Amino acid sequence: MSGNRFMALMVKRREYVNVIQERQKPPLKKLKLVKKATPQSIGHTLALISYLENCKKSNEALSILLRISDNISFEAADFPDILKRLSDYFKNEKESAVRVKILSLLGEIGEYLHADKFLIIDEIILLLKGDTSHKVIAQGINTILKFGERITDTSNNTFNQKMIELAKTYLKDVNHTVKCKCLEIIGAYSPISESKESEEILFLVSSYFNNDDARVRSQAFSTIVTLHDRGFKLNPNIYTDVCNCLKDDYEIVRSVVLKLLWVLGQAYPNHQMFVSGSDHEIRLIDDAFGKICSGVTDLSMQVRTLSAELLGSMTAVSPKFLNQTLDKKLMSNMRRKRTAHELAWENVTSGEWASGKKWADDAPKEVLDAESINLINSGACGAFVHGLEDEYLEVRSAAVESLCQLSLNNSHFANLSLDFMVDMFNDEIEDVRLKAIDSLRLISKHIVLRDDQVETILGALEDFSQEVREGLHRMLASCRMLTTCGLKMCVEKLLDNLKKYPNDKRSTYKCLQKVGSQHAELVLPLVPQFLNIHPFFHIPEPDVENPQYICILILIFNAAENLPTIIPLLESHTKRHYQYLRDTMPSFVPVLTLTDTIANTVAQPMSVQASMEFLNNVIYNIDITEATFSVYCAILQTARDHLNRLSLIDSGVAGTAQFTSYFIGAQLIYFRIMENGYWANPTSLASHQAHNLTTNIQNLLEHCLKLQFFFVGLSAEDKCAVKQLHMKALALNLIYIVKGSNSSALAPCHNFLNMVEVLQMELHKNGIEPECFTKDVFKELSSLEEPKPGMVSRVLIPILAEARIGRIPRPNVKIRMSSAEILEPTGQTDTSLKFTAGLIMSVPFEAELKHLLDPSRIRIKVKYPDQKTQVILPRPAHLKPLNPEGEDSNKPKMRESNIRLLTDLLISHQVWSEACNIDINIALAIPEADIGRRRNIDNPHTLLDLCKPVKISVSPKPIKKNILS
């Protein structure tokens, strides 16, 4: 009884707008929840502040201020009094900690709408004038700075000038915190204009570059960077002063200096400047590049990482400086480093050998003076070499990224960096190896792999990580090889690796598919070797189910697509195997015209335009049909079959055809429910009739949920059409529960009313005319004072009895349907998986999921023979992008996800008498809150299957008892 009273109170406040008028739609009534203030909370802050006057100790005042901060509530009329009392107490308080808390409290009060921020700022400025505490001044300036961030009107020159004057006043303070806050204000509120005042501000900030405190120096450089980000035009003459701070003792200063050097280099790349100690001129970005390169050898790991990151975006640097980053010849105090071969050859040709009697008589003779080298800054020498060899993975990772970014737009540099990138495949950290592999894939358009480089790359295929191996497959698929030997080496290594890691089968297929299409000329001379074609003897026919043989066929057939001269080399059984692979693996094998084979007639694929015309004709014929009930249902069933067939023929309109098919299927179920009229009085039905009615209602609800959550790219009209159909299904469900069930109808009634409210708002928002059924529901429910389940069901029965079926939505070519394909396990093995009962067995699982709205809804469902179901939530780390190489980058971006699920299923059960099958499936979990239901503790989610289950045979064995026992 209490539940009914609660439901009545909840739904009593619902108001439904009558939207039957056609000429002018009434405005939608919006519920505005207003929290009434209690008498105790009104003036609560002002009452607590009044207690401050009676405090005799600072600790008491501090505790009251903390209570005020925890619960601030006041009215607009109380604000001036609050500000005055806090200011008066601030002036009389001697403890600096209490004054700091008062300033902090003023900042919290200023966040409320009733507060005048400008008035608080003026009051804080007056309070700070007579204060000598550094902590109080710093807190006051910090509070003002926070207020300034929340003020949206940045064009207030008076306010900005006031802030600048305040900062200049307190810059003379000896405390570093005060200085830093003042510099922050200057960076945030300085006028952006080319005037004398701007030059004075720049000069003022630059004067703190050599401050005694490292925190002040760091903030001064950060202020310059902030000014540039706001559009302030910097003077490139400060470059020399900035460079002098690169050798600062503190890493916080060196980090900001590097950022400022990068800013100056990007802002004035072609500005000419003199090299220190010479008359040679150099571009500013080249010199800045060399200075930033020197940060790669810094003592601090953070500075080295930042330097390596900044290098990647400096694409305007000269080629000679860029190439020098991969060469260490000028390092070691400007002494040219020679190879061992050069040193030995010089000793042989000189005819003189070191006697050992004279100290350093074999020292190199070409020692150069560091001051005399002015062509290339020594910092650029071997910068990336040092970064790639750093002991910290953060530095190595940043160096790999920067090397890739610089190589993308420079083919010469890409070829120079190839060897260094390949060496990173052997890094000890998996993330660094993956980044190096992906970087080499990105720059593959600029490079051609030599045989020695291919050999080094193939060595990384032994990696235990499947992610690294698949990354190598993608990289090899995008690269080009130089010789036939390199290609043969690559194919043989991939086949050997496939024996060791059978789970890499599909990845290897994709790799060899692209390798064959890109290297048709290199594949041609290797065809006899790969297929074991002998000029005189007949070789036994290979097994077409062998993965290694399939790899060879995929390679050759894809090469034959671009080079038809390969086809005459193929034997008859190879051509027969082509027909088999073309039927079983059409995504890996192209369409070829082979002789001596049975020509299969391949239908010309339909164009998207022709398919859309067919869809429109089907829906139009359904709309204009006027026939009896049975004939109309037969027409709908025929149309559904045609649409299902069309979705298999033309992938371009498959989503639209499937959506329309599901919609027609829901209508057919609705017709079956409404056919005999049993739904209005289910108490008179027999048990089997009641069971059929319940099943049909549940199927209708499931169809509506699939229409809502299985499809992406729906228009507003499509969503509203689905929700109106869903509302009919919920109405039927509510009537059945009220009339023919003993269970509570509160939750179904709440669900129905919630759907009505949501649908009403969406129809009004999108300006869509509702159906007749929806109009009648809105009208009748708006007149109910207390929409209880019984009253609602009595209102719905006549509306449903007279309601007509809604129109089918127009075809929308943007619609895509969510789908899943389980790749592993295949369910085709005859052997049973055996494990000890009660323990856990791991089963490798791989699946591809496409067109998902929310990947977090994915669940793996395992159903055992005893009808027990296990629902598994995959880890986010096991969800990978399906196309990491960006194959579909030219297609329009939609709010959907194509992912690959790669994980291990943990299966456990008790002893079975014989081996049985378990069903593994992928489902979409729909929380009850998403469909308007109340949360059910036993079943908080509704699971909708995305694909057909895969069956695997499992045989739990009993635990073997010890013989001695």
Side-chain angles (χ1 to χ4, degrees):
M1 188 67 184
S2 61
N4 292 330
R5 187 180 297 110
F6 174 75
M7 185 63 194
L9 291 175
M10 289 295 295
V11 300
K12 188 175 182 180
R13 291 182 293 177
R14 299 177 180 269
E15 296 181 1
Y16 300 97
V17 181
N18 192 348
V19 293
I20 300 179
Q21 299 179 7
E22 296 182 358
R23 294 184 179 178
Q24 184 178 1
K25 296 181 181 179
L28 185 66
K29 295 181 180 179
K30 297 182 179 179
L31 297 178
K32 183 178 181 181
L33 301 178
V34 181
K35 184 178 180 181
K36 296 183 179 180
T38 59
Q40 293 80 4
S41 64
I42 297 177
H44 177 73
T45 300
L46 186 61
L48 287 177
I49 290 175
S50 62
Y51 295 153
L52 288 174
E53 301 173 356
N54 301 326
C55 295
K56 297 181 180 179
K57 295 183 180 180
S58 300
N59 291 337
E60 297 177 1
L62 194 60
S63 63
I64 292 176
L65 291 172
L66 290 173
R67 289 178 57 190
I68 296 173
S69 179
D70 292 338
N71 187 14
I72 298 176
S73 59
F74 61 93
E75 293 183 349
D78 297 335
F79 172 72
D81 198 8
I82 291 174
L83 184 60
K84 184 177 183 304
R85 292 192 182 189
L86 286 176
S87 301
D88 293 341
Y89 190 82
F90 180 92
K91 297 174 183 178
N92 298 325
E93 178 61 41
K94 297 181 180 179
E95 183 63 38
S96 61
V98 179
R99 301 202 301 275
V100 168
K101 182 58 185 174
I102 291 175
L103 294 176
S104 175
L105 183 60
L106 287 175
E108 296 176 7
I109 292 174
E111 296 180 358
Y112 287 79
L113 296 176
H114 304 317
D116 187 352
K117 297 180 177 59
F118 292 101
L119 188 60
I120 295 178
I121 290 175
D122 293 338
E123 188 66 29
I124 292 176
I125 292 175
L126 292 175
L127 294 176
L128 294 180
K129 284 185 177 180
D131 208 299
T132 57
S133 173
H134 300 305
K135 294 181 180 178
V136 176
I137 296 174
Q139 178 61 47
I141 297 176
N142 187 44
T143 303
I144 294 174
L145 189 61
K146 288 183 178 179
F147 280 146
E149 294 175 357
R150 297 186 181 95
I151 294 175
T152 57
D153 186 12
T154 58
S155 61
N156 193 341
N157 295 328
T158 304
F159 174 74
N160 293 343
Q161 190 65 30
K162 185 186 297 185
M163 298 290 284
I164 296 298
E165 293 298 330
L166 176 69
K168 290 181 178 179
T169 301
Y170 289 100
L171 263 178
K172 303 173 185 178
D173 197 290
V174 296
N175 186 265
H176 71 276
T177 307
V178 178
K179 288 181 181 292
C180 290
K181 293 298 178 182
C182 292
L183 289 172
E184 281 189 47
I185 290 178
I186 291 175
Y189 297 101
S190 296
I192 303 175
S193 60
E194 298 181 6
S195 61
K196 185 177 180 181
E197 184 181 0
S198 301
E199 296 179 359
E200 292 177 356
I201 290 175
L202 185 61
F203 178 78
L204 176 63
V205 177
S206 302
S207 63
Y208 288 89
F209 287 175
N210 299 318
N211 193 274
D212 295 337
D213 197 296
R215 291 162 288 193
V216 178
R217 297 197 299 271
S218 175
Q219 184 58 52
F221 291 116
S222 298
T223 301
I224 298 294
V225 175
T226 304
L227 289 172
H228 176 268
D229 294 340
R230 291 179 54 221
F232 196 94
K233 189 174 181 181
L234 302 179
N235 189 348
N237 294 331
I238 66 172
Y239 178 80
T240 304
D241 297 332
V242 175
C243 292
N244 294 334
C245 299
L246 275 175
K247 298 180 181 179
D248 198 279
D249 295 336
Y250 294 87
E251 66 177 74
I252 58 172
V253 180
R254 299 196 299 272
S255 298
V256 185
V257 167
L258 288 174
K259 292 180 182 177
L260 185 52
L261 287 177
W262 180 85
V263 166
L264 291 172
Q266 297 292 87
Y268 307 98
N270 296 319
H271 179 75
Q272 296 293 325
M273 57 171 295
F274 289 99
V275 179
S276 58
S278 70
D279 296 333
H280 179 71
E281 286 190 349
I282 190 175
R283 295 169 67 225
L284 192 146
I285 191 171
D286 293 338
D287 192 73
F289 184 80
K291 294 290 193 302
I292 295 176
C293 285
S294 63
V296 180
T297 58
D298 195 88
L299 294 177
S300 171
M301 184 270 291
Q302 287 80 9
V303 176
R304 298 200 300 272
T305 305
L306 177 62
S307 300
E309 290 175 352
L310 293 176
L311 292 177
S313 56
M314 304 183 72
T315 55
V317 69
S318 300
K320 61 181 181 180
F321 284 87
L322 193 59
N323 298 339
Q324 192 62 45
T325 57
L326 301 175
D327 192 357
K328 295 166 59 173
K329 286 182 180 178
L330 296 179
M331 295 302 290
S332 184
N333 195 22
M334 313 311 291
R335 180 181 300 163
R336 183 179 181 277
K337 304 292 286 185
R338 291 171 295 172
T339 63
H341 178 73
E342 291 176 340
L343 292 174
W345 178 253
E346 184 179 352
N347 287 333
V348 172
T349 55
S350 64
E352 298 180 0
W353 297 90
S355 61
K357 296 180 180 180
K358 185 179 179 180
W359 175 254
D361 59 351
D362 57 346
K365 299 178 181 179
E366 68 277 17
V367 177
L368 305 177
D369 185 10
E371 299 296 333
S372 64
I373 300 298
N374 54 18
L375 294 179
I376 297 179
N377 193 302
S378 60
C381 301
F384 280 121
V385 179
H386 286 281
L388 297 175
E389 295 175 353
D390 197 272
E391 60 180 325
Y392 288 94
L393 68 94
E394 292 87 354
V395 183
R396 300 197 302 274
S397 180
V400 170
E401 286 186 357
S402 296
L403 199 61
C404 175
Q405 293 176 14
L406 293 172
S407 300
L408 285 175
N409 300 320
N410 192 326
S411 59
H412 179 66
F413 185 73
N415 283 277
L416 289 178
S417 62
L418 178 59
D419 290 330
F420 297 93
M421 200 78 77
V422 171
D423 289 340
M424 296 306 295
F425 289 3
N426 299 320
D427 194 271
E428 59 183 357
I429 303 299
E430 180 179 340
D431 291 340
V432 179
R433 297 197 300 271
L434 278 173
K435 194 161 291 185
I437 291 169
D438 290 336
S439 299
L440 187 55
R441 176 179 57 82
L442 293 174
I443 66 174
S444 59
K445 60 182 179 181
H446 298 303
I447 60 177
V448 179
L449 298 178
R450 303 190 308 269
D451 292 351
D452 58 321
Q453 294 167 342
V454 173
E455 185 177 2
T456 306
I457 292 172
L458 294 176
L461 280 174
E462 300 295 334
D463 199 295
F464 180 75
S465 172
Q466 183 174 0
E467 191 172 356
V468 173
R469 297 195 305 271
E470 292 183 352
L472 282 168
H473 292 162
R474 293 193 299 269
M475 187 270 297
L476 289 172
S478 60
C479 290
R480 292 174 296 166
M481 300 176 198
L482 188 61
T483 64
T484 305
C485 295
L487 177 63
K488 182 181 178 183
M489 186 193 315
C490 175
V491 174
E492 291 176 349
K493 185 65 177 180
L494 287 173
L495 297 181
D496 292 340
N497 200 66
L498 185 58
K499 296 178 181 178
K500 188 175 182 180
Y501 301 104
N503 292 336
D504 297 349
K505 181 171 58 178
R506 290 184 63 85
S507 180
T508 306
Y509 290 169
K510 293 180 181 179
C511 175
L512 290 174
Q513 178 186 11
K514 295 185 178 180
V515 168
S517 61
Q518 290 182 356
H519 301 85
E521 295 81 3
L522 300 181
V523 173
L524 176 60
L526 296 175
V527 170
Q529 300 181 41
F530 286 153
L531 295 179
N532 292 328
I533 299 175
H534 197 275
F536 306 113
F537 302 104
H538 288 290
I539 305 298
E541 181 176 335
D543 183 10
V544 75
E545 297 294 339
N546 185 3
Q548 282 76 18
Y549 179 61
I550 294 176
C551 289
I552 294 295
L553 292 181
I554 290 175
L555 174 75
I556 294 174
F557 291 149
N558 282 276
E561 183 183 17
N562 299 324
L563 193 64
T565 54
I566 296 178
I567 297 178
L569 301 177
L570 304 180
E571 295 185 336
S572 58
H573 66 268
T574 307
K575 296 177 181 179
R576 285 189 281 104
H577 293 168
Y578 164 77
Q579 297 294 343
Y580 172 76
L581 292 181
R582 180 60 193 161
D583 293 336
T584 58
M585 305 168 61
S587 59
F588 295 114
V589 180
V591 178
L592 300 177
T593 304
L594 303 181
T595 58
D596 301 333
T597 57
I598 301 175
N600 293 329
T601 303
V602 180
Q604 183 70 20
M606 297 176 62
S607 64
V608 175
Q609 183 178 0
S611 300
M612 292 298 293
E613 290 179 0
F614 176 78
L615 271 172
N616 284 313
N617 291 333
V618 170
I619 297 175
Y620 176 75
N621 292 332
I622 293 175
D623 290 340
I624 65 175
T625 299
E626 295 181 1
T628 60
F629 180 80
S630 58
V631 174
Y632 189 71
C633 288
I635 293 174
L636 287 179
Q637 184 61 48
T638 304
R640 187 185 183 190
D641 295 339
H642 289 335
L643 293 174
N644 289 334
R645 181 60 179 167
L646 178 63
S647 65
L648 299 176
I649 295 175
D650 190 354
S651 60
V653 296
T656 307
Q658 290 165 337
F659 174 78
T660 309
S661 174
Y662 268 91
F663 199 92
I664 293 176
Q667 288 184 337
L668 285 172
I669 299 174
Y670 177 78
F671 280 140
R672 283 198 293 269
I673 296 174
M674 303 293 294
E675 180 179 3
N676 299 321
Y678 295 150
W679 57 275
N681 190 16
T683 54
S684 61
L685 297 178
S687 58
H688 70 280
Q689 292 176 328
H691 176 73
N692 291 337
L693 179 59
T694 306
T695 304
N696 287 332
I697 292 176
Q698 293 302 320
N699 290 337
L700 179 59
L701 289 172
E702 184 175 343
H703 264 69
C704 294
L705 290 179
K706 288 182 178 180
L707 286 169
Q708 282 184 259
F709 295 98
F710 271 19
F711 294 91
V712 297
L714 297 177
S715 63
E717 291 79 5
D718 299 332
K719 294 178 181 178
C720 290
V722 170
K723 288 186 178 180
Q724 291 184 81
L725 182 61
H726 192 193
M727 191 171 68
K728 291 181 181 178
L730 293 176
L732 286 171
N733 186 47
L734 176 61
I735 294 171
Y736 174 77
I737 293 177
V738 172
K739 296 290 186 180
S741 174
N742 294 327
S743 58
S744 174
L746 288 177
C749 183
H750 174 80
N751 187 13
F752 175 75
L753 294 175
N754 183 67
M755 173 61 72
V756 171
E757 186 176 358
V758 172
L759 180 59
Q760 182 186 8
M761 289 189 295
E762 288 197 12
L763 289 171
H764 184 271
K765 178 181 177 181
N766 298 297
I768 300 174
E769 186 69 21
E771 300 175 2
C772 295
F773 169 79
T774 309
K775 290 181 182 179
D776 295 340
V777 171
F778 289 164
K779 179 180 178 181
E780 295 296 332
L781 289 182
S782 62
S783 62
L784 289 179
E785 294 183 0
E786 295 184 2
K788 296 181 179 180
M791 298 177 64
V792 173
S793 63
R794 284 194 294 270
V795 168
L796 291 176
I797 289 176
I799 298 177
L800 276 173
E802 298 177 0
R804 296 183 60 187
I805 194 65
R807 297 184 61 184
I808 301 174
R810 299 297 97 183
N812 180 6
V813 75
K814 296 181 180 180
I815 297 178
R816 297 288 183 271
M817 182 178 178
S818 302
S819 61
E821 181 183 2
I822 300 176
L823 306 177
E824 186 70 26
T826 59
Q828 298 177 353
T829 57
D830 297 332
T831 59
S832 300
L833 302 177
K834 299 179 181 180
F835 65 98
T836 303
L839 299 182
I840 296 174
M841 179 183 65
S842 176
V843 178
F845 185 84
E846 180 181 1
E848 292 182 356
L849 301 99
K850 298 180 180 179
H851 311 301
L852 296 177
L853 274 177
D854 188 4
S856 63
R857 298 179 184 268
I858 296 174
R859 302 292 186 271
I860 303 175
K861 191 168 64 173
V862 181
K863 187 175 182 180
Y864 293 94
D866 56 358
Q867 302 305 310
K868 290 183 179 180
T869 303
Q870 178 186 5
V871 180
I872 302 172
L873 174 64
R875 293 174 57 187
H878 295 167
L879 301 176
K880 304 293 182 181
L882 187 57
N883 295 317
E885 62 271 13
E887 292 178 351
D888 300 333
S889 58
N890 296 327
K891 296 184 179 180
K893 298 295 181 181
M894 301 178 65
R895 193 170 61 88
E896 62 184 60
S897 299
N898 297 329
I899 62 174
R900 178 189 180 205
L901 175 57
L902 188 63
T903 184
D904 290 324
L905 299 182
L906 302 181
I907 296 175
S908 179
H909 209 278
Q910 300 303 319
V911 180
W912 298 344
S913 59
E914 60 182 9
C916 297
N917 291 331
I918 62 174
D919 293 342
I920 302 176
N921 199 359
I922 298 178
L924 207 63
I926 302 175
E928 304 302 328
D930 287 358
I931 54 178
R933 297 179 185 172
R934 292 184 176 177
R935 183 176 178 84
N936 187 356
I937 299 177
D938 298 330
N939 186 18
H941 293 87
T942 297
L943 296 177
L944 301 177
D945 294 340
L946 278 172
C947 62
K948 295 181 180 180
V950 172
K951 298 181 181 294
I952 60 173
S953 179
V954 175
S955 176
K957 296 295 182 182
I959 301 175
K960 294 182 179 179
K961 297 182 179 180
N962 197 340
I963 298 178
L964 298 179
S965 62

